[in-house]
Amino acid sequence: MAVTLIVGAQWGDEGKAKVIDFLAENTDIVVRYQGGANAGHTVIAKGEKYIFHLIPSGILYSKTVCVLGGGMVIEPNAFFDELNQLEKRGIEIDGRIRIADNAHVLLPYHSLIDAKREENMSITKIGTTKRGIGICYGDKVNRTGIRIGELLDDGFYKNRLPLLISEKNIILKNIYNEKEINLTETEDFLRSLGQKLKKYLINAPYYLNLEIASGKRVLLEGAQGTMLDVDFGTYPFVTSSNPTIGGALIGSGVNHRNISDCFGIVKAYTTRVGEGPFPTEAYNEEGEALRKLGNEYGATTGRPRRCGWFDVEVVRHAARINGLTGIVLTKLDVLDSLKTIKIAVGYEQDGKRISYFPSYGVERIKVIYEELPGWEEPITNYTKLNDLPKNAKKYINAIEKFCGVPVCWVSVGPKRENTIKIR
Ligand code: GDP
Ligand code: IMO
Ligand code: MG
């Protein structure tokens, strides 16, 4: 079957983009299905480093078509900036980008309100990327959002835009004490934006399912991760979309019957950015050491990532929800120098053993750890499973056994070639 889904199994930044780039070589179409410029997807190819925020991570192969799916929220300036950067670096993008016409447009007032809410001490601070993501998805669900395709529709400017802007102005003026938006200027901006975007727009379910029927191979690229899912993550400390498999279907329009594989991208330890519970977080020198070894700083905001140990319960949660058919284990090399490695094998909540990731009261979890011996040698240059030290293999086996999902690939460095096929 034609479609492979790539989903983050932890709190994002698992190394999804590296894996997408690696798999894209044998793929025709890569579809980003949710999120927006909150994502920071790093690819290192032929000695060059790229960080993608909106453009799918398969763009570096000249044959791949890249689709920004209908589940995304797209900030036009960020989109054009990213395209320009790629063109400047010699990446041929002509005719290779498509945008689902039902994706939503993210405008400056979304980011403004996001930032204002984050700075307001009387509202729960989420630690968002301040890219306006939650506000834009809020508008979508409130039916006050703007679909990209509507930018080409006269009826939208006549019937919907005036009401949308007047409602936004009530909010901006009365709640945030901000300048009101000018309707005529907004209409002019959106009309010219529509003309600029016109050549990219597609009806995604029609286009993608037709391409699949004709034999094309598709990768669905998730942003964020299962634990940041608005329904399955550590709510309210989540993003405002569904990075999990349901979001992949909704955000692409690909028929579920075409999906054959769903790979969970799993870091060999755990990180998260922003606020919210993190049961296996390592503090002080322990956490600092992981941050330093893994160079754990956000690819979008540059914030230091919180670091901690591998959490089996988190990955099992992701396996259950997404029906993971395999794990791609990333950043194993980061653990090279450790004498021993902790792995969280279970939880107690309020004194009772639980074998699931709870939907509430996560801060009351007591973590049960096991400790495994480290391998204490560099593994980045290894290319085969048999090259790996005994204790690295034991660590991989433990992850497979505890998570109940086969590890199919191991990533031992940030470059394309630092990838080992396990099965
Ligand atoms: P994404 O958001 O899931 O695509 O991940 P990010 O790009 O935000 O963060 C992953 C970081 O780890 C990037 O800097 C990658 O270059 C780097 N990386 C990916 N895989 C590996 C690996 O196996 N080893 C090491 N050392 N770094 C990796
Ligand atoms: P990639 O795709 C890690 C986090 C933010 C914050 C929460 C909500 O690179 O893995 P938002 O701006 O989405 O409203 O912020 O989600 N977050 C991410 N953390 N990786 C990401 O993306 C993230 N995108 C959002 O830090 O805690
Ligand atoms: Mg990232």
Side-chain angles (χ1 to χ4, degrees):
M1 274 193 289
V3 182
T4 299
L5 170 59
I6 298 295
V7 58
Q10 294 151 322
W11 277 277
D13 302 327
E14 298 92 347
K16 297 176 291 295
K18 176 194 151 156
V19 177
I20 296 275
D21 167 73
F22 178 77
L23 296 177
E25 189 174 9
N26 298 311
T27 298
D28 301 298
I29 304 172
V30 181
V31 188
R32 247 294 291 275
Y33 57 79
Q34 42 70 238
N38 49 349
H41 290 178
T42 315
V43 173
I44 299 179
K46 297 184 183 152
E48 295 265 323
K49 178 172 174 175
Y50 302 85
I51 299 178
F52 304 113
H53 301 287
L54 291 168
I55 306 289
S57 306
I59 193 75
L60 300 179
Y61 294 95
S62 58
K63 285 194 309 241
T64 319
V65 169
C66 288
V67 177
L68 284 76
M72 289 186 72
V73 288
I74 300 172
E75 204 275 294
N77 292 325
F79 171 72
F80 288 115
D81 276 356
E82 216 168 313
L83 280 194
N84 290 339
Q85 291 293 330
L86 282 169
E87 276 188 318
K88 269 195 204 141
R89 296 177 73 176
I91 309 300
E92 185 62 63
I93 48 170
D94 220 28
R96 298 181 49 221
I97 304 273
R98 312 268 188 281
I99 303 178
D101 59 8
N102 63 328
H104 276 245
V105 188
L106 191 149
L107 291 169
Y109 55 79
H110 293 122
S111 319
L112 175 80
I113 296 174
D114 190 359
K116 286 252 165 193
R117 284 174 56 90
E118 280 291 298
E119 283 148 21
N120 187 331
M121 300 300 279
S122 54
I123 297 175
T124 303
K125 185 177 159 64
I126 308 295
T128 73
T129 58
K130 300 188 185 170
R131 297 293 191 273
I133 306 297
I135 313 302
C136 190
Y137 278 116
D139 273 357
K140 169 175 161 174
V141 177
N142 278 329
R143 293 144 300 181
T144 51
I146 303 172
R147 280 182 166 178
I148 289 202
E150 288 186 291
L151 302 182
L152 296 169
D153 178 16
D154 283 333
F156 162 74
Y157 294 102
K158 188 158 161 266
N159 304 322
R160 251 170 44 82
L161 187 66
L163 294 174
L164 290 184
I165 296 300
S166 80
E167 186 179 342
K168 273 292 164 279
N169 280 337
I170 295 170
I171 295 167
L172 285 169
K173 187 169 155 221
N174 298 322
I175 302 183
Y176 297 105
N177 202 18
E178 281 291 325
K179 205 171 129 232
E180 292 182 48
I181 303 165
N182 179 293
L183 175 61
T184 317
E185 282 172 16
T186 308
E187 176 168 344
D188 290 347
F189 170 73
L190 293 178
R191 278 190 186 274
S192 76
L193 181 64
Q195 291 310 313
K196 276 166 73 183
L197 289 171
K198 197 171 166 181
K199 66 174 180 183
Y200 301 110
L201 299 191
I202 52 163
N203 179 292
Y206 176 75
Y207 169 80
L208 288 171
N209 289 296
L210 214 58
E211 291 289 73
I212 292 166
S214 77
K216 297 278 169 60
R217 291 153 305 175
V218 175
L219 268 182
L220 298 180
E221 173 177 3
Q224 291 84 50
T226 300
M227 302 312 294
L228 288 170
D229 185 285
V230 67
D231 290 288
F232 295 114
T234 44
Y235 191 87
F237 303 99
V238 291
T239 193
S240 299
S241 65
N242 294 105
T244 50
I245 190 164
L249 298 174
I250 289 166
S252 66
V254 163
N255 184 319
H256 74 95
R257 284 179 300 182
N258 290 309
I259 297 183
S260 51
D261 285 303
C262 177
F263 289 122
I265 313 307
V266 177
K267 210 178 264 192
Y269 48 101
T270 313
T271 62
R272 95 170 280 178
V273 200
E275 309 296 319
F278 178 1
T280 62
E281 182 162 13
Y283 298 96
N284 307 322
E285 304 89 71
E286 210 180 53
E288 278 294 332
L290 283 173
R291 184 173 310 117
K292 208 163 150 221
L293 291 167
N295 190 25
E296 293 294 354
Y297 295 89
T300 295
T301 58
R303 289 178 291 174
R305 294 174 182 149
R306 297 157 62 191
C307 297
W309 301 106
F310 191 97
D311 190 333
V312 165
E313 218 51 87
V314 162
V315 178
R316 281 210 287 234
H317 187 61
R320 230 169 259 142
I321 293 162
N322 298 297
L324 296 184
T325 54
I327 284 174
V328 183
L329 188 67
T330 63
K331 303 193 88 162
L332 189 65
D333 57 298
V334 171
L335 307 178
D336 280 353
S337 60
L338 302 186
K339 247 191 167 50
T340 56
I341 302 166
K342 284 208 259 183
I343 171 165
V345 296
Y347 288 166
E348 275 179 15
Q349 193 185 37
D350 303 327
K352 274 203 250 82
R353 186 82 195 238
I354 54 169
S355 39
Y356 51 84
F357 194 96
S359 305
Y360 60 93
V362 179
E363 53 296 330
R364 299 197 308 277
I365 282 173
K366 186 169 162 274
V367 180
I368 301 157
Y369 288 102
E370 280 190 12
E371 211 151 321
L372 275 77
W375 43 94
E376 299 182 82
E377 67 171 270
I379 59 171
T380 294
N381 291 328
Y382 294 154
T383 55
K384 295 191 291 297
L385 174 63
N386 279 344
D387 297 341
L388 288 176
K390 187 174 86 254
N391 287 346
K393 285 191 212 154
K394 272 193 182 159
Y395 189 65
I396 298 169
N397 286 343
I399 286 172
E400 285 193 330
K401 185 187 92 190
F402 284 123
C403 300
V405 182
V407 172
C408 297
W409 302 85
V410 175
S411 174
V412 290
K415 299 182 193 155
R416 271 181 191 165
E417 55 271 27
N418 307 138
T419 314
I420 303 178
K421 190 164 172 53
I422 302 287
R423 53 178 91 235

